[in-house]
Each structure stands twice: as C-alpha cells, then as structure tokens.
Amino acid sequence: MASKAMTISRTKSLESICKEIHDSYVEEKQLIQILLNLSQPECRKIRETYMKIYGEDLILRVSFLSNLMLNPFECDAVVAREAIYLNDRVNYMALIEIFTCRKSSHVLLIQQAYHAKYRCQLDFEIGSIEPPHPYQKVTVTALSASHKAHHADISQHIAKCDAKRLYQTGEGKPGAIDEAVVLEIFSKRSIAQMKLTFFSYKHIYGHSYTSVLKNQYFGEFEDAVRAVAKCICSPTTYFAKVLYGCLKGTRNDKGAMARVMVSRAEVDMDEIQRDFKKKYEVELKNVIVESIPEGNYRDFLVAMATKTSTC
C-alpha cells in the first residue's frame, strides 16, 4: 500500500488531485478509486486541502468514506457518539472495541476529540446512559479507568495472582462471578496486563476464561466480560467474526463493516483476513462480492480488502 501511495504522491501534488476532483466533479466511483490509491494520512490531507481551496467537505460526497478522511481520534470519537445516540439501542460492542483495541495514549486523544467536537465528556456520556446496563459498568467503570491509571510494565506475578482471583471468584465457587473483583482488575490493569492474565488463566487451569463465561445461567455482565476478553486476547479473530456476521446478516450493526475495514486497514487487516480464511475457508473479498449488492459500496469494500492484502 505504501509503495502505491508514494508513487501517486510523487507524480501528483495534493492540489492537483483536488483540482482533478473538483474540475471534473468526479463520480462517486472515481472518487473512491482516487482515495483508495492514497494512504490514510494522504486522504486526510486531501480533505483538508480540498476544504481550504474549494470550501467543500469531501465527506459530504460519500459518507462511508468519512473514516478515510478523519484523523483516527476524531473518527473514533464519531464512532463513540454514534454508538451512544444513533440507534434506539446503545452499541456497546463498538465502545468496547475502542477501549480494548486502542493504546492508552490514543484513548486519551479520542476523549479530547470527543469533548472538542461534542462539548461533553465521553465517560460522562456513557455513564449517564439510562437505563443502566451491565456493559456500561465494564465499559466506563472499568475499561476507561484502566487507560488512566496503570503501569506501563507488565508483570507475570500480577497476571498469575489476578488469574487465581478470577478463578476463586468465578468457576471456583458456585453462582455468578464476582462483579466487584472483575471490575477492580479491569480498572487497575492495562490492556496488555489483562491479556497476560487471561493467558495465565488458560495456562494454570487448562482452559480459557471466556469458556467459563459461556455458562447458560450467567447473565449480561458475564457476556460483557466475555466480549472484552475476546477483544483483548485475539482481536484479529474477533474482527474476522464481526466482518463475517456483517456480511451474512447475523450482526445488527450497520456501520461495523466499513468501521472495521478502515480502522484496521493499517493495523492488522492482513492478519484479520488470514483468520477469516482459516475460520470460514473462504477469502474475505469473495464473501463481500457474494453478499453485498453491486454498487459503489461493494466496490469500496472490495478495494479495501484488495488494498490491505497487497500491503
């Protein structure tokens, strides 16, 4: 991807690309091709340059391209806002993705971008959702706090101790897991430390912590903890499952497909595509073609899949 983007940036300036877009008033399909031939930072510069020269926001042209042209922190701020307010039901999984799959420095910038754009604190917005929900506790009470107060170094000793506490207050006793213990660990440990804890749990007890949470008698809190653990332990497998669910209609999250394809494009999309093929025995690109009606949105998704697979 980098080599292709560099070739284009060497032969055409940002201004000339903007002029090409403006003068010909390119069709949606052409705009998609132009932007997908650039890196995400270059797409953001195109948007800024176009706005400066012509006073028009390119995002208004094609809404599903907005993730390409927003900076990552602003993009996640928009995702968080839509997760809370866009539908009748809060999209807690989109929020969990943000808090588990971003670095602490990134989360801080997301919160700053959210405040700058919407004039309110993201944590307060999540915490104020009514009626209260178990996912809410895990998201704002624990995960958000974990990004504010933890040590950068990870400890094998702490991981083993936390794993034993999870066992003793979970499958090691009858009844539901102890919410207070889980929330305390989640709020005081970094994402990397929690990942080590979950691996230690499997090493010590011979099975994953998420398998324990499949108990049919458990409730929504355990479901939330399981979702967090999956995102932390194997994000690429998690995102492969999200994409498959979107394509097959088993996941009720309209924005997830484009959100994942763009947000993970320059992070781990190659690994996601490998996990996708391993789990479902088919290429992601082929499932997109089979599942999405012909049109610019499908062209965009196919181009993203092709682009990332050849990085």
Side-chain angles (χ1 to χ4, degrees):
M1 179 174 63
S3 61
K4 183 184 286 186
M6 285 186 67
T7 300
I8 289 176
S9 62
R10 282 173 183 164
T11 57
K12 290 186 178 181
S13 67
L14 295 178
E15 290 79 5
S16 66
I17 294 174
C18 289
K19 188 174 188 300
E20 179 183 340
I21 294 172
H22 181 266
D23 288 354
S24 59
Y25 207 80
V26 296
E27 295 180 355
E28 192 175 274
K29 186 171 185 177
Q30 291 173 286
L31 180 57
I32 291 170
Q33 291 301 320
I34 290 172
L35 294 177
L36 287 175
N37 279 329
L38 303 172
S39 67
Q40 288 181 322
E42 285 176 326
C43 287
R44 293 192 285 273
K45 289 179 181 178
I46 287 290
R47 180 197 178 201
E48 294 170 5
T49 305
Y50 195 91
M51 174 71 81
K52 190 180 297 182
I53 297 174
Y54 301 108
E56 179 191 354
D57 194 340
L58 282 175
I59 287 177
L60 300 177
R61 291 270 200 98
V62 191
S63 60
F64 59 77
L65 292 177
S66 61
N67 289 2
L68 284 172
M69 292 183 278
L70 293 173
N71 71 56
F73 321 119
E74 187 181 3
C75 182
D76 281 338
V78 172
V79 168
R81 183 73 171 186
E82 292 179 347
I84 298 169
Y85 290 109
L86 186 61
N87 299 303
D88 295 336
R89 191 174 181 180
V90 177
N91 186 350
Y92 282 104
M93 284 312 303
L95 296 173
I96 285 175
E97 287 170 17
I98 289 173
F99 284 109
T100 57
C101 300
R102 309 292 189 266
K103 295 179 180 179
S104 294
S105 56
H106 189 129
V107 170
L108 177 60
L109 290 169
I110 294 168
Q111 292 169 330
Q112 291 174 352
Y114 193 95
H115 184 266
K117 190 173 182 64
Y118 303 112
R119 300 302 176 189
C120 50
Q121 299 291 342
L122 177 56
D123 289 359
F124 179 79
E125 294 270 90
I126 300 172
S128 301
I129 295 171
E130 294 290 346
H133 194 283
Y135 274 77
Q136 190 177 6
K137 290 182 183 179
V138 174
T139 305
V140 68
T141 305
L143 293 180
S144 179
S146 77
H147 287 285
K148 298 176 182 176
H150 67 259
H151 298 290
D153 297 332
I154 59 174
S155 164
Q156 187 71 53
H157 174 70
I158 291 175
K160 289 180 180 178
C161 290
D162 285 347
K164 290 177 181 178
R165 289 185 71 198
L166 289 175
Y167 177 84
Q168 292 164 358
T169 58
E171 66 175 310
K173 71 174 184 62
I177 65 175
D178 191 323
E179 291 187 14
V181 172
V182 173
L183 291 174
E184 178 191 349
I185 291 174
F186 278 22
S187 62
K188 290 184 177 180
R189 309 298 186 224
S190 68
I191 298 299
Q193 183 66 54
M194 284 190 276
K195 184 173 185 176
L196 185 59
T197 294
F198 294 134
F199 285 161
S200 295
Y201 192 103
K202 185 173 184 178
H203 178 75
I204 296 170
Y205 301 108
H207 54 263
S208 68
Y209 185 55
T210 57
S211 67
V212 175
L213 301 173
K214 288 182 180 179
N215 189 318
Q216 61 179 322
Y217 299 107
F218 284 165
E220 289 183 316
F221 181 80
E222 288 81 5
D223 287 342
V225 174
R226 185 164 172 256
V228 168
K230 282 187 170 184
C231 283
I232 291 175
C233 292
S234 185
T236 57
T237 301
Y238 164 79
F239 284 119
K241 189 174 180 179
V242 169
L243 293 176
Y244 188 81
C246 291
L247 291 166
K248 293 302 181 180
T250 59
R251 184 182 177 89
N252 186 23
D253 183 356
K254 293 181 180 179
M257 189 75 200
R259 181 178 76 238
V260 172
M261 292 292 287
V262 175
S263 68
R264 310 310 294 181
E266 297 183 355
V267 181
D268 53 9
M269 183 52 76
D270 283 346
E271 289 85 351
I272 291 170
Q273 293 201 66
R274 280 196 290 270
D275 284 355
F276 190 99
K277 185 175 182 179
K278 181 178 179 181
K279 185 174 180 63
Y280 303 110
E281 299 182 338
V282 64
E283 296 284 355
L284 172 59
K285 179 180 68 173
N286 295 340
V287 181
I288 292 172
V289 172
E290 293 169 2
S291 305
I292 304 293
E294 187 176 353
N296 291 333
Y297 181 58
R298 188 178 79 174
D299 292 343
F300 161 71
L301 294 176
V302 170
M304 285 297 298
T306 304
K307 181 178 184 180
T308 52
S309 66
T310 56
C311 288

PDB file of all heavy atoms in Angstrom, residues 114-137:
ATOM      1  N   TYR A 114     -13.528  13.959  21.366  1.00  0.00           N
ATOM      2  CA  TYR A 114     -14.968  13.880  21.674  1.00  0.00           C
ATOM      3  C   TYR A 114     -15.428  15.161  22.359  1.00  0.00           C
ATOM      4  O   TYR A 114     -16.463  15.737  22.005  1.00  0.00           O
ATOM      5  CB  TYR A 114     -15.241  12.671  22.565  1.00  0.00           C
ATOM      6  CG  TYR A 114     -16.707  12.318  22.684  1.00  0.00           C
ATOM      7  CD1 TYR A 114     -17.276  11.358  21.866  1.00  0.00           C
ATOM      8  CD2 TYR A 114     -17.530  12.945  23.616  1.00  0.00           C
ATOM      9  CE1 TYR A 114     -18.622  11.027  21.960  1.00  0.00           C
ATOM     10  CE2 TYR A 114     -18.874  12.626  23.720  1.00  0.00           C
ATOM     11  CZ  TYR A 114     -19.414  11.661  22.894  1.00  0.00           C
ATOM     12  OH  TYR A 114     -20.756  11.351  22.992  1.00  0.00           O
ATOM     13  N   HIS A 115     -14.645  15.614  23.331  1.00  0.00           N
ATOM     14  CA  HIS A 115     -15.011  16.838  24.057  1.00  0.00           C
ATOM     15  C   HIS A 115     -14.979  18.047  23.140  1.00  0.00           C
ATOM     16  O   HIS A 115     -15.860  18.920  23.189  1.00  0.00           O
ATOM     17  CB  HIS A 115     -14.065  17.048  25.237  1.00  0.00           C
ATOM     18  CG  HIS A 115     -14.422  18.211  26.094  1.00  0.00           C
ATOM     19  ND1 HIS A 115     -13.865  19.464  25.922  1.00  0.00           N
ATOM     20  CD2 HIS A 115     -15.317  18.343  27.115  1.00  0.00           C
ATOM     21  CE1 HIS A 115     -14.377  20.308  26.810  1.00  0.00           C
ATOM     22  NE2 HIS A 115     -15.267  19.653  27.536  1.00  0.00           N
ATOM     23  N   ALA A 116     -13.966  18.105  22.280  1.00  0.00           N
ATOM     24  CA  ALA A 116     -13.846  19.245  21.362  1.00  0.00           C
ATOM     25  C   ALA A 116     -15.006  19.285  20.367  1.00  0.00           C
ATOM     26  O   ALA A 116     -15.507  20.355  20.020  1.00  0.00           O
ATOM     27  CB  ALA A 116     -12.511  19.162  20.616  1.00  0.00           C
ATOM     28  N   LYS A 117     -15.448  18.117  19.918  1.00  0.00           N
ATOM     29  CA  LYS A 117     -16.486  18.051  18.885  1.00  0.00           C
ATOM     30  C   LYS A 117     -17.897  18.170  19.471  1.00  0.00           C
ATOM     31  O   LYS A 117     -18.772  18.816  18.875  1.00  0.00           O
ATOM     32  CB  LYS A 117     -16.361  16.731  18.116  1.00  0.00           C
ATOM     33  CG  LYS A 117     -17.228  16.644  16.859  1.00  0.00           C
ATOM     34  CD  LYS A 117     -16.906  15.389  16.073  1.00  0.00           C
ATOM     35  CE  LYS A 117     -17.715  15.290  14.785  1.00  0.00           C
ATOM     36  NZ  LYS A 117     -17.429  16.366  13.824  1.00  0.00           N
ATOM     37  N   TYR A 118     -18.110  17.568  20.644  1.00  0.00           N
ATOM     38  CA  TYR A 118     -19.475  17.492  21.176  1.00  0.00           C
ATOM     39  C   TYR A 118     -19.676  18.263  22.484  1.00  0.00           C
ATOM     40  O   TYR A 118     -20.777  18.282  23.029  1.00  0.00           O
ATOM     41  CB  TYR A 118     -19.869  16.021  21.369  1.00  0.00           C
ATOM     42  CG  TYR A 118     -19.758  15.220  20.099  1.00  0.00           C
ATOM     43  CD1 TYR A 118     -18.796  14.222  19.947  1.00  0.00           C
ATOM     44  CD2 TYR A 118     -20.603  15.467  19.008  1.00  0.00           C
ATOM     45  CE1 TYR A 118     -18.689  13.491  18.769  1.00  0.00           C
ATOM     46  CE2 TYR A 118     -20.500  14.739  17.833  1.00  0.00           C
ATOM     47  CZ  TYR A 118     -19.537  13.755  17.721  1.00  0.00           C
ATOM     48  OH  TYR A 118     -19.425  13.040  16.554  1.00  0.00           O
ATOM     49  N   ARG A 119     -18.603  18.870  23.000  1.00  0.00           N
ATOM     50  CA  ARG A 119     -18.676  19.702  24.201  1.00  0.00           C
ATOM     51  C   ARG A 119     -19.172  18.931  25.422  1.00  0.00           C
ATOM     52  O   ARG A 119     -19.908  19.462  26.252  1.00  0.00           O
ATOM     53  CB  ARG A 119     -19.577  20.929  23.964  1.00  0.00           C
ATOM     54  CG  ARG A 119     -19.088  21.837  22.842  1.00  0.00           C
ATOM     55  CD  ARG A 119     -17.694  22.327  23.130  1.00  0.00           C
ATOM     56  NE  ARG A 119     -17.152  23.119  22.029  1.00  0.00           N
ATOM     57  CZ  ARG A 119     -15.882  23.523  21.954  1.00  0.00           C
ATOM     58  NH1 ARG A 119     -15.035  23.176  22.912  1.00  0.00           N
ATOM     59  NH2 ARG A 119     -15.453  24.236  20.928  1.00  0.00           N
ATOM     60  N   CYS A 120     -18.786  17.670  25.528  1.00  0.00           N
ATOM     61  CA  CYS A 120     -19.111  16.893  26.721  1.00  0.00           C
ATOM     62  C   CYS A 120     -18.088  15.758  26.844  1.00  0.00           C
ATOM     63  O   CYS A 120     -17.379  15.435  25.885  1.00  0.00           O
ATOM     64  CB  CYS A 120     -20.531  16.341  26.667  1.00  0.00           C
ATOM     65  SG  CYS A 120     -20.936  15.483  25.143  1.00  0.00           S
ATOM     66  N   GLN A 121     -17.998  15.195  28.035  1.00  0.00           N
ATOM     67  CA  GLN A 121     -17.023  14.149  28.293  1.00  0.00           C
ATOM     68  C   GLN A 121     -17.578  12.789  27.883  1.00  0.00           C
ATOM     69  O   GLN A 121     -18.712  12.442  28.218  1.00  0.00           O
ATOM     70  CB  GLN A 121     -16.667  14.115  29.787  1.00  0.00           C
ATOM     71  CG  GLN A 121     -16.043  15.388  30.319  1.00  0.00           C
ATOM     72  CD  GLN A 121     -14.647  15.626  29.759  1.00  0.00           C
ATOM     73  OE1 GLN A 121     -13.995  14.706  29.247  1.00  0.00           O
ATOM     74  NE2 GLN A 121     -14.182  16.862  29.861  1.00  0.00           N
ATOM     75  N   LEU A 122     -16.774  11.998  27.175  1.00  0.00           N
ATOM     76  CA  LEU A 122     -17.211  10.687  26.714  1.00  0.00           C
ATOM     77  C   LEU A 122     -17.574   9.785  27.894  1.00  0.00           C
ATOM     78  O   LEU A 122     -18.608   9.103  27.873  1.00  0.00           O
ATOM     79  CB  LEU A 122     -16.117  10.029  25.867  1.00  0.00           C
ATOM     80  CG  LEU A 122     -16.391   8.602  25.372  1.00  0.00           C
ATOM     81  CD1 LEU A 122     -17.689   8.525  24.586  1.00  0.00           C
ATOM     82  CD2 LEU A 122     -15.221   8.099  24.529  1.00  0.00           C
ATOM     83  N   ASP A 123     -16.740   9.767  28.922  1.00  0.00           N
ATOM     84  CA  ASP A 123     -17.021   8.928  30.086  1.00  0.00           C
ATOM     85  C   ASP A 123     -18.365   9.286  30.718  1.00  0.00           C
ATOM     86  O   ASP A 123     -19.142   8.405  31.109  1.00  0.00           O
ATOM     87  CB  ASP A 123     -15.922   9.075  31.141  1.00  0.00           C
ATOM     88  CG  ASP A 123     -14.624   8.417  30.704  1.00  0.00           C
ATOM     89  OD1 ASP A 123     -14.585   7.845  29.598  1.00  0.00           O
ATOM     90  OD2 ASP A 123     -13.645   8.481  31.462  1.00  0.00           O
ATOM     91  N   PHE A 124     -18.628  10.576  30.807  1.00  0.00           N
ATOM     92  CA  PHE A 124     -19.891  11.033  31.399  1.00  0.00           C
ATOM     93  C   PHE A 124     -21.074  10.601  30.533  1.00  0.00           C
ATOM     94  O   PHE A 124     -22.112  10.176  31.051  1.00  0.00           O
ATOM     95  CB  PHE A 124     -19.884  12.553  31.551  1.00  0.00           C
ATOM     96  CG  PHE A 124     -21.160  13.111  32.121  1.00  0.00           C
ATOM     97  CD1 PHE A 124     -21.412  13.065  33.486  1.00  0.00           C
ATOM     98  CD2 PHE A 124     -22.120  13.660  31.286  1.00  0.00           C
ATOM     99  CE1 PHE A 124     -22.601  13.550  34.012  1.00  0.00           C
ATOM    100  CE2 PHE A 124     -23.309  14.161  31.793  1.00  0.00           C
ATOM    101  CZ  PHE A 124     -23.556  14.103  33.165  1.00  0.00           C
ATOM    102  N   GLU A 125     -20.909  10.710  29.228  1.00  0.00           N
ATOM    103  CA  GLU A 125     -21.970  10.324  28.308  1.00  0.00           C
ATOM    104  C   GLU A 125     -22.317   8.833  28.470  1.00  0.00           C
ATOM    105  O   GLU A 125     -23.490   8.459  28.526  1.00  0.00           O
ATOM    106  CB  GLU A 125     -21.539  10.577  26.863  1.00  0.00           C
ATOM    107  CG  GLU A 125     -21.339  12.042  26.519  1.00  0.00           C
ATOM    108  CD  GLU A 125     -22.607  12.687  25.997  1.00  0.00           C
ATOM    109  OE1 GLU A 125     -23.369  13.210  26.833  1.00  0.00           O
ATOM    110  OE2 GLU A 125     -22.821  12.648  24.778  1.00  0.00           O
ATOM    111  N   ILE A 126     -21.274   7.991  28.535  1.00  0.00           N
ATOM    112  CA  ILE A 126     -21.509   6.553  28.684  1.00  0.00           C
ATOM    113  C   ILE A 126     -22.118   6.258  30.054  1.00  0.00           C
ATOM    114  O   ILE A 126     -23.067   5.482  30.182  1.00  0.00           O
ATOM    115  CB  ILE A 126     -20.210   5.758  28.494  1.00  0.00           C
ATOM    116  CG1 ILE A 126     -19.629   5.988  27.095  1.00  0.00           C
ATOM    117  CG2 ILE A 126     -20.456   4.260  28.710  1.00  0.00           C
ATOM    118  CD1 ILE A 126     -18.249   5.381  26.895  1.00  0.00           C
ATOM    119  N   GLY A 127     -21.575   6.899  31.077  1.00  0.00           N
ATOM    120  CA  GLY A 127     -22.054   6.667  32.438  1.00  0.00           C
ATOM    121  C   GLY A 127     -23.465   7.142  32.678  1.00  0.00           C
ATOM    122  O   GLY A 127     -24.133   6.689  33.618  1.00  0.00           O
ATOM    123  N   SER A 128     -23.949   8.057  31.828  1.00  0.00           N
ATOM    124  CA  SER A 128     -25.291   8.627  32.010  1.00  0.00           C
ATOM    125  C   SER A 128     -26.369   7.880  31.242  1.00  0.00           C
ATOM    126  O   SER A 128     -27.549   8.263  31.296  1.00  0.00           O
ATOM    127  CB  SER A 128     -25.285  10.098  31.569  1.00  0.00           C
ATOM    128  OG  SER A 128     -24.361  10.850  32.313  1.00  0.00           O
ATOM    129  N   ILE A 129     -25.990   6.842  30.510  1.00  0.00           N
ATOM    130  CA  ILE A 129     -26.974   6.095  29.722  1.00  0.00           C
ATOM    131  C   ILE A 129     -28.022   5.472  30.641  1.00  0.00           C
ATOM    132  O   ILE A 129     -27.688   4.870  31.668  1.00  0.00           O
ATOM    133  CB  ILE A 129     -26.283   4.999  28.889  1.00  0.00           C
ATOM    134  CG1 ILE A 129     -25.357   5.618  27.837  1.00  0.00           C
ATOM    135  CG2 ILE A 129     -27.312   4.100  28.211  1.00  0.00           C
ATOM    136  CD1 ILE A 129     -24.466   4.624  27.122  1.00  0.00           C
ATOM    137  N   GLU A 130     -29.259   5.649  30.276  1.00  0.00           N
ATOM    138  CA  GLU A 130     -30.380   5.062  31.019  1.00  0.00           C
ATOM    139  C   GLU A 130     -31.193   4.155  30.106  1.00  0.00           C
ATOM    140  O   GLU A 130     -31.410   4.492  28.943  1.00  0.00           O
ATOM    141  CB  GLU A 130     -31.280   6.171  31.583  1.00  0.00           C
ATOM    142  CG  GLU A 130     -30.622   7.038  32.654  1.00  0.00           C
ATOM    143  CD  GLU A 130     -30.410   6.288  33.959  1.00  0.00           C
ATOM    144  OE1 GLU A 130     -31.007   5.182  34.126  1.00  0.00           O
ATOM    145  OE2 GLU A 130     -29.658   6.787  34.820  1.00  0.00           O
ATOM    146  N   PRO A 131     -31.664   3.019  30.647  1.00  0.00           N
ATOM    147  CA  PRO A 131     -31.396   2.509  31.996  1.00  0.00           C
ATOM    148  C   PRO A 131     -29.980   1.941  32.088  1.00  0.00           C
ATOM    149  O   PRO A 131     -29.392   1.587  31.056  1.00  0.00           O
ATOM    150  CB  PRO A 131     -32.451   1.404  32.158  1.00  0.00           C
ATOM    151  CG  PRO A 131     -32.691   0.921  30.760  1.00  0.00           C
ATOM    152  CD  PRO A 131     -32.570   2.124  29.879  1.00  0.00           C
ATOM    153  N   PRO A 132     -29.433   1.829  33.294  1.00  0.00           N
ATOM    154  CA  PRO A 132     -28.084   1.277  33.466  1.00  0.00           C
ATOM    155  C   PRO A 132     -28.003  -0.129  32.879  1.00  0.00           C
ATOM    156  O   PRO A 132     -28.984  -0.870  32.866  1.00  0.00           O
ATOM    157  CB  PRO A 132     -27.914   1.250  34.999  1.00  0.00           C
ATOM    158  CG  PRO A 132     -28.850   2.296  35.489  1.00  0.00           C
ATOM    159  CD  PRO A 132     -30.038   2.250  34.565  1.00  0.00           C
ATOM    160  N   HIS A 133     -26.823  -0.472  32.369  1.00  0.00           N
ATOM    161  CA  HIS A 133     -26.643  -1.755  31.677  1.00  0.00           C
ATOM    162  C   HIS A 133     -25.328  -2.388  32.133  1.00  0.00           C
ATOM    163  O   HIS A 133     -24.349  -1.675  32.382  1.00  0.00           O
ATOM    164  CB  HIS A 133     -26.615  -1.506  30.167  1.00  0.00           C
ATOM    165  CG  HIS A 133     -26.767  -2.738  29.340  1.00  0.00           C
ATOM    166  ND1 HIS A 133     -25.741  -3.631  29.142  1.00  0.00           N
ATOM    167  CD2 HIS A 133     -27.839  -3.246  28.661  1.00  0.00           C
ATOM    168  CE1 HIS A 133     -26.151  -4.617  28.370  1.00  0.00           C
ATOM    169  NE2 HIS A 133     -27.428  -4.409  28.049  1.00  0.00           N
ATOM    170  N   PRO A 134     -25.264  -3.716  32.256  1.00  0.00           N
ATOM    171  CA  PRO A 134     -24.013  -4.368  32.658  1.00  0.00           C
ATOM    172  C   PRO A 134     -22.832  -4.004  31.774  1.00  0.00           C
ATOM    173  O   PRO A 134     -21.697  -3.866  32.249  1.00  0.00           O
ATOM    174  CB  PRO A 134     -24.357  -5.861  32.549  1.00  0.00           C
ATOM    175  CG  PRO A 134     -25.820  -5.928  32.798  1.00  0.00           C
ATOM    176  CD  PRO A 134     -26.373  -4.687  32.151  1.00  0.00           C
ATOM    177  N   TYR A 135     -23.074  -3.857  30.461  1.00  0.00           N
ATOM    178  CA  TYR A 135     -21.987  -3.475  29.555  1.00  0.00           C
ATOM    179  C   TYR A 135     -21.453  -2.082  29.912  1.00  0.00           C
ATOM    180  O   TYR A 135     -20.287  -1.773  29.680  1.00  0.00           O
ATOM    181  CB  TYR A 135     -22.483  -3.486  28.110  1.00  0.00           C
ATOM    182  CG  TYR A 135     -22.410  -4.832  27.439  1.00  0.00           C
ATOM    183  CD1 TYR A 135     -23.354  -5.819  27.716  1.00  0.00           C
ATOM    184  CD2 TYR A 135     -21.404  -5.120  26.531  1.00  0.00           C
ATOM    185  CE1 TYR A 135     -23.293  -7.059  27.098  1.00  0.00           C
ATOM    186  CE2 TYR A 135     -21.339  -6.358  25.896  1.00  0.00           C
ATOM    187  CZ  TYR A 135     -22.292  -7.326  26.197  1.00  0.00           C
ATOM    188  OH  TYR A 135     -22.213  -8.550  25.581  1.00  0.00           O
ATOM    189  N   GLN A 136     -22.325  -1.263  30.437  1.00  0.00           N
ATOM    190  CA  GLN A 136     -21.954   0.097  30.844  1.00  0.00           C
ATOM    191  C   GLN A 136     -20.905   0.051  31.951  1.00  0.00           C
ATOM    192  O   GLN A 136     -19.925   0.794  31.937  1.00  0.00           O
ATOM    193  CB  GLN A 136     -23.219   0.799  31.339  1.00  0.00           C
ATOM    194  CG  GLN A 136     -23.114   2.274  31.588  1.00  0.00           C
ATOM    195  CD  GLN A 136     -24.477   2.824  32.000  1.00  0.00           C
ATOM    196  OE1 GLN A 136     -25.428   2.092  32.192  1.00  0.00           O
ATOM    197  NE2 GLN A 136     -24.559   4.114  32.115  1.00  0.00           N
ATOM    198  N   LYS A 137     -21.104  -0.845  32.907  1.00  0.00           N
ATOM    199  CA  LYS A 137     -20.147  -0.984  34.011  1.00  0.00           C
ATOM    200  C   LYS A 137     -18.769  -1.349  33.489  1.00  0.00           C
ATOM    201  O   LYS A 137     -17.762  -0.760  33.872  1.00  0.00           O
ATOM    202  CB  LYS A 137     -20.612  -2.083  34.977  1.00  0.00           C
ATOM    203  CG  LYS A 137     -21.833  -1.774  35.795  1.00  0.00           C
ATOM    204  CD  LYS A 137     -22.116  -2.958  36.721  1.00  0.00           C
ATOM    205  CE  LYS A 137     -23.386  -2.740  37.524  1.00  0.00           C
ATOM    206  NZ  LYS A 137     -23.681  -3.905  38.403  1.00  0.00           N
TER     207      LYS A 137
END
